[in-house]
């Protein structure tokens, strides 16, 4: 199971990946109080050839991360461990968080979870901000590893230039994915990660110029009574750390989303439904 490690070694001097550090202070605080369960042999083997102290970001996405092994405890911040006025607290019972769940990756703040209680280490995913109920992504870590290696190797910059993968490019990836993944697993991953062919969230540049489409900006003025849920939702949408979010909550004009389509307004309504006070502007 070295597909991803091999792909990363090929691209580490290029523009496809970036290595990122994590909050040293948060890491020290958590390590004094909490401990991870014993990692499965499959997960340890996976990390054997991957960077240990750095998180890896797929550069073109800006918010898809692979968590470094030494940062697995920090990755549980906001899901299993939260910091309150009296200090750190384990909220696994409230969140219905299984102690054998380890966050090994994230997309836009949404967790990718490895279940280390099972031999093959199945991978689950969920979205923050709502009722927590992880869904199966693929039934083994090996499949997730293979999927990511193909995505990294085959990706080119056309994704963010046009707002979608070109049809033949998507099919090229899909052909290789099918070597190890079922159609259902490919569907699961493409729905969760920014893979699928879609124009829903993008207004083409030509259309913006022709129609003078205005952009929507959503600002968070007050998280309200459900502060924890709102903060997790902000983490998902912005990719900011929980410390950065808390600092920005004290400032005016905390921009949490922007976009050209109605999806931005739907997002504003979602924060309102959580009890937050938001402000929407169009420019």
């Amino acid at each position: 199971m070295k597909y991803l490690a091999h792909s990363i070694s090929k691209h580490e001097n290029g523009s496809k990946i970036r290595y990122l550090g994590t909050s040293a202070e948060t890491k020290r605080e958590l390590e004094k109080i909490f401990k991870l369960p014993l990692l499965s042999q499959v997960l340890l083997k996976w990390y054997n050839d991957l960077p240990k102290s750095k998180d890896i970001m797929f550069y073109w996405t800006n918010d898809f991360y692979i968590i470094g092994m030494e940062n697995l405890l920090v990755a549980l911040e906001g899901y299993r461990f939260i910091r309150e006025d009296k200090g750190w607290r384990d909220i696994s019972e409230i969140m219905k968080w299984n102690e054998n769940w380890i966050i090994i990756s994230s997309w836009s703040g949404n967790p990718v979870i490895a279940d280390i209680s099972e031999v093959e280490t199945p991978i689950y995913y969920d979205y923050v901000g709502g009722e927590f109920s992880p869904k199966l992504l693929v039934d083994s870590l090996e499949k997730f590893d293979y999927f990511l290696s193909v995505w990294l190797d085959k990706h080119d910059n056309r994704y963010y230039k046009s707002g979608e993968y070109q049809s033949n490019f998507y099919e090229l990836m899909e052909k290789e994915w099918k070597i190890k993944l079922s159609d259902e697993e490919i569907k699961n991953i493409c729905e969760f990660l920014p893979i699928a062919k879609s124009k829903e969230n993008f207004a083409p540049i030509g259309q913006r110029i022709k129609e003078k489409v205005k952009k929507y900006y959503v600002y968070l003025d007050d998280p309200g009574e459900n502060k924890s849920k709102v903060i997790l939702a902000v983490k998902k949408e912005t990719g900011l750390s929980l410390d950065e979010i808390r600092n920005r909550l004290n400032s005016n004009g905390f921009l949490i989303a922007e976009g050209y389509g109605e999806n931005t307004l739907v997002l504003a309504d979602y924060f309102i439904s959580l009890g937050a006070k938001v402000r929407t502007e169009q420019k």
Side-chain angles (χ1 to χ4, degrees):
M1 186 172 55
K2 295 185 177 182
Y3 304 108
L4 180 59
H6 180 65
S7 296
I8 287 173
S9 67
K10 288 194 301 183
H11 299 293
E12 62 182 353
N13 295 320
S15 60
K16 284 194 173 186
I17 61 173
R18 286 177 59 190
Y19 296 110
L20 304 170
T22 188
S23 170
E25 180 183 354
T26 299
K27 189 175 180 180
R28 284 195 299 269
E29 289 179 2
L30 286 170
E31 288 176 344
K32 287 180 181 178
I33 307 170
F34 305 110
K35 288 185 178 180
L36 288 172
L38 292 175
L39 301 182
S40 66
Q41 289 301 309
V42 170
L43 192 59
L44 288 172
K45 185 177 179 181
W46 189 60
Y47 273 117
N48 189 54
D49 298 302
L50 294 175
K52 303 296 189 295
S53 62
K54 299 287 186 181
D55 295 343
I56 304 168
M57 182 179 77
F58 281 21
Y59 191 77
W60 69 89
T61 70
N62 289 322
D63 41 21
F64 173 78
Y65 297 87
I66 300 165
I67 309 300
M69 189 171 73
E70 294 178 6
N71 301 328
L72 293 176
L73 202 61
V74 178
L76 290 171
E77 181 190 7
Y79 301 99
R80 181 175 178 180
F81 309 124
I82 63 170
R83 181 163 51 190
E84 298 178 331
D85 294 337
K86 295 182 180 179
W88 287 96
R89 178 187 174 198
D90 186 340
I91 59 168
S92 54
E93 186 173 337
I94 298 173
M95 287 290 290
K96 299 179 182 178
W97 189 274
N98 189 307
E99 66 175 12
N100 291 309
W101 289 348
I102 304 295
I103 296 178
I104 61 170
S105 178
S106 71
W107 156 240
S108 196
N110 298 300
V112 177
I113 303 164
D115 185 352
I116 60 174
S117 67
E118 298 189 35
V119 175
E120 297 298 327
T121 311
I123 306 300
Y124 295 82
Y125 72 98
D126 203 355
Y127 300 97
V128 298
E131 183 177 349
F132 193 73
S133 181
K135 305 165 188 65
L136 184 67
L137 200 61
V138 290
D139 61 18
S140 72
L141 179 58
E142 181 178 10
K143 287 184 177 181
F144 185 64
D145 176 86
Y146 178 75
F147 174 88
L148 292 181
S149 72
V150 174
W151 189 27
L152 178 58
D153 283 340
K154 300 295 183 186
H155 184 85
D156 66 18
N157 291 328
R158 283 180 290 177
Y159 179 75
Y160 276 112
K161 284 183 179 179
S162 63
E164 64 172 354
Y165 282 116
Q166 301 300 308
S167 176
N168 59 340
F169 181 58
Y170 176 89
E171 289 164 3
L172 178 65
M173 290 193 292
E174 188 176 39
K175 183 178 180 180
E176 292 206 30
W177 291 333
K178 285 186 175 182
I179 293 174
K180 288 189 173 292
L181 278 68
S182 68
D183 290 343
E184 185 64 27
E185 289 171 328
I186 292 173
K187 179 182 176 183
N188 290 344
I189 298 179
C190 289
E191 287 179 352
F192 178 62
L193 295 176
I195 303 290
K197 296 170 287 184
S198 172
K199 289 184 178 178
E200 293 179 3
N201 296 319
F202 297 87
I205 294 175
Q207 179 186 335
R208 296 178 201 170
I209 295 173
K210 183 178 178 180
E211 301 178 8
K212 296 182 179 180
V213 178
K214 292 186 177 181
K215 199 172 188 179
Y216 292 105
Y217 296 83
V218 181
Y219 297 91
L220 176 63
D221 290 332
D222 189 338
E225 294 182 359
N226 296 320
K227 188 173 180 179
S228 295
K229 283 189 175 181
V230 172
I231 287 177
L232 287 177
V234 172
K235 187 177 189 298
K236 167 193 168 184
E237 294 303 326
T238 63
L240 295 171
S241 70
L242 293 177
D243 284 340
E244 289 175 306
I245 293 171
R246 293 189 188 97
N247 291 335
R248 294 194 188 188
L249 284 176
N250 299 321
S251 63
N252 294 325
F254 183 3
L255 178 66
I256 57 174
E258 59 182 283
Y260 290 93
E262 292 186 1
N263 286 347
T264 310
L265 299 179
V266 171
L267 180 63
D269 289 338
Y270 171 65
F271 277 99
I272 292 172
S273 72
L274 292 178
K277 183 179 179 182
V278 301
R279 171 170 41 91
T280 304
E281 296 182 2
Q282 192 177 19
K283 302 176 183 178

